[in-house]
Amino acid sequence: MEIFIGVDGGGTKTEATAINSAGEVLSRYTGGSTNPYIVTFNKAMEELRTVLDGLLAPLFDKSLLFTSICLGMSGVSSAEERRQVQSFLHSYFRQRQLSMHIYMRSEAEISLMAVLERQYGILAISGTGSNTYAITKSGDIHRVGGWGHLLGDEGSGYQIGLQTLKTVIKSHEGMLPPTIMSSLIVAAYPLQHITDLKSYIYQPAITKQDIASFARCCIEAAEAGDEAADRIIRQQAAELADTTSALIRQQAEFAESELVRIGSIFKHSPLFRETYAGILLSRYPRLRFPEGNRERTPAHGAALLACKLFTDGVSDLL
């Protein structure tokens, strides 16, 4: 039985999936960050080793043929960075007496493969951060966004969370009307009163993920009809739609493409998802928003891509 491995390496977690040639999942494993700009290259490779060890542990069997691996890793984009990862993996597999084709692809390609089972189309991501990619049928990759939480991340969980915090403070100060986001926050966090936010937020350990977590209160309040929360969700959806529009303008074929939406904000906020799609359809009426197979993770998509690239005889040389 041939085995194909996919890895989705992120700044927060890394997921790996092993499948057979029929696409059936045989093993999964989740570990920590493998983004070298967050944890250094050496620590990223140590974590990647841990993830692969965990994934492969239940699979070592003489009847299995480990064939190829495809990785989509945040923070690994230049040719030199990819060569370093490939070098590490060649050494890793040699130590385990395995010979595998190693493919490095973008997070856009593995995510599109997971949903559409192909590598071209448009991908919009709204999770803790945000980003947009578009890949032409000929394989050219375009990107708008991805500047991080200080310079960009429009339409992300971080920006929704930050605007939520600013809004409840302004509401407390009397600059804005009351909002149920205030009571939702006090109930969900270790706070006695909304004024405790200052000491909570300015703790050194608070990260952008912690700020993004406040988006949950905004989404819940918007669903309950809170005007302030509704305004935040719609504004951030519009911001991401503007980012996506800038991407679509780069190639004529993108205006008639399929656009895949992934990430926790798209998943948990129907208002965000529908507002975003409505704005884009008003500008590009031939866009399509397929649901595809949303049970498959990007790691599963990477494994499917490993199978496709190997079957098609694609070289793994960079």
Side-chain angles (χ1 to χ4, degrees):
M1 182 188 296
E2 290 184 322
I3 304 298
F4 304 92
I5 295 172
V7 176
D8 174 27
T12 303
K13 65 179 179 179
T14 297
E15 296 183 341
T17 298
I19 64 172
N20 61 20
S21 56
E24 299 168 332
V25 175
L26 305 178
S27 179
R28 287 192 177 101
Y29 194 88
T30 301
S33 174
T34 50
N35 185 320
Y37 289 96
I38 293 177
V39 297
T40 76
F41 181 81
N42 289 337
K43 289 185 178 179
M45 294 304 98
E46 288 175 13
E47 188 61 27
L48 181 57
R49 178 185 291 109
T50 299
V51 169
L52 291 175
D53 284 346
L55 180 76
L56 296 176
L59 296 178
F60 277 114
D61 186 297
K62 292 182 180 178
S63 64
L64 299 180
L65 177 62
F66 294 90
T67 306
S68 62
I69 181 172
C70 178
L71 305 96
M73 300 180 66
S74 65
V76 178
S77 55
S78 71
E80 178 57 30
E81 289 166 340
R82 292 185 176 194
R83 274 193 290 269
Q84 287 180 303
V85 174
Q86 274 201 341
S87 177
F88 164 80
L89 288 171
H90 281 304
S91 175
Y92 174 88
F93 289 125
R94 275 198 306 270
Q95 291 170 8
R96 288 151 183 80
Q97 298 182 318
L98 298 174
S99 177
M100 296 186 67
H101 288 260
I102 300 169
Y103 301 103
M104 303 288 297
R105 293 296 187 268
S106 66
E107 62 177 321
E109 288 173 277
I110 67 173
S111 296
L112 288 171
M113 194 71 186
V115 177
L116 302 178
E117 295 189 26
R118 67 167 193 249
Q119 295 162 260
Y120 62 89
I122 303 173
L123 180 73
I125 304 168
S126 178
T128 297
S130 68
N131 214 336
T132 65
Y133 297 88
I135 303 177
T136 65
K137 292 179 180 178
S138 60
D140 294 330
I141 300 176
H142 298 254
R143 172 177 168 175
V144 175
W147 291 93
H149 66 293
L150 295 180
L151 299 178
D153 275 351
E154 296 84 1
S156 67
Y158 176 86
Q159 291 296 343
I160 293 172
L162 183 61
Q163 294 307 313
T164 297
L165 291 168
K166 290 184 174 183
T167 297
V168 298
I169 292 300
K170 288 182 177 180
S171 175
H172 168 72
E173 300 275 67
M175 291 181 278
L176 290 175
T179 167
I180 64 171
M181 290 188 290
S182 301
S183 59
L184 291 173
I185 288 172
V186 171
Y189 291 87
L191 310 172
Q192 295 297 316
H193 190 268
I194 205 69
T195 54
D196 296 332
L197 268 176
K198 185 175 182 180
S199 57
Y200 179 80
I201 290 299
Y202 287 112
Q203 294 178 91
I206 292 294
T207 65
K208 66 179 182 180
Q209 286 82 8
D210 295 314
I211 301 299
S213 71
F214 286 89
R216 292 175 296 182
C217 297
C218 186
I219 291 170
E220 183 178 345
E223 291 299 306
D226 185 86
E227 290 186 8
D230 184 280
R231 186 165 53 250
I232 291 171
I233 296 294
R234 291 182 186 276
Q235 178 188 24
Q236 290 302 315
E239 293 255 11
L240 188 58
D242 287 343
T243 300
T244 310
S245 294
L247 179 72
I248 292 171
R249 289 195 295 270
Q250 294 184 8
Q251 281 282 345
E253 73 178 72
F254 295 153
E256 300 182 16
S257 291
E258 291 186 305
L259 194 159
V260 172
R261 297 162 290 177
I262 66 170
S264 57
I265 303 302
F266 278 126
K267 180 179 180 180
H268 296 296
S269 177
L271 176 62
F272 184 93
R273 189 168 60 247
E274 293 161 10
T275 301
Y276 172 82
I279 292 171
L280 286 174
L281 283 172
S282 71
R283 300 170 182 173
Y284 306 101
R286 294 187 178 180
L287 277 179
R288 300 181 302 283
F289 295 86
E291 292 302 316
N293 187 333
R294 295 197 171 275
E295 298 303 312
R296 286 198 293 250
T297 64
H300 192 161
L304 289 171
L305 191 50
C307 179
K308 180 180 185 299
L309 294 170
F310 177 78
T311 303
D312 291 347
V314 176
S315 170
D316 59 354
L317 296 176
L318 294 174

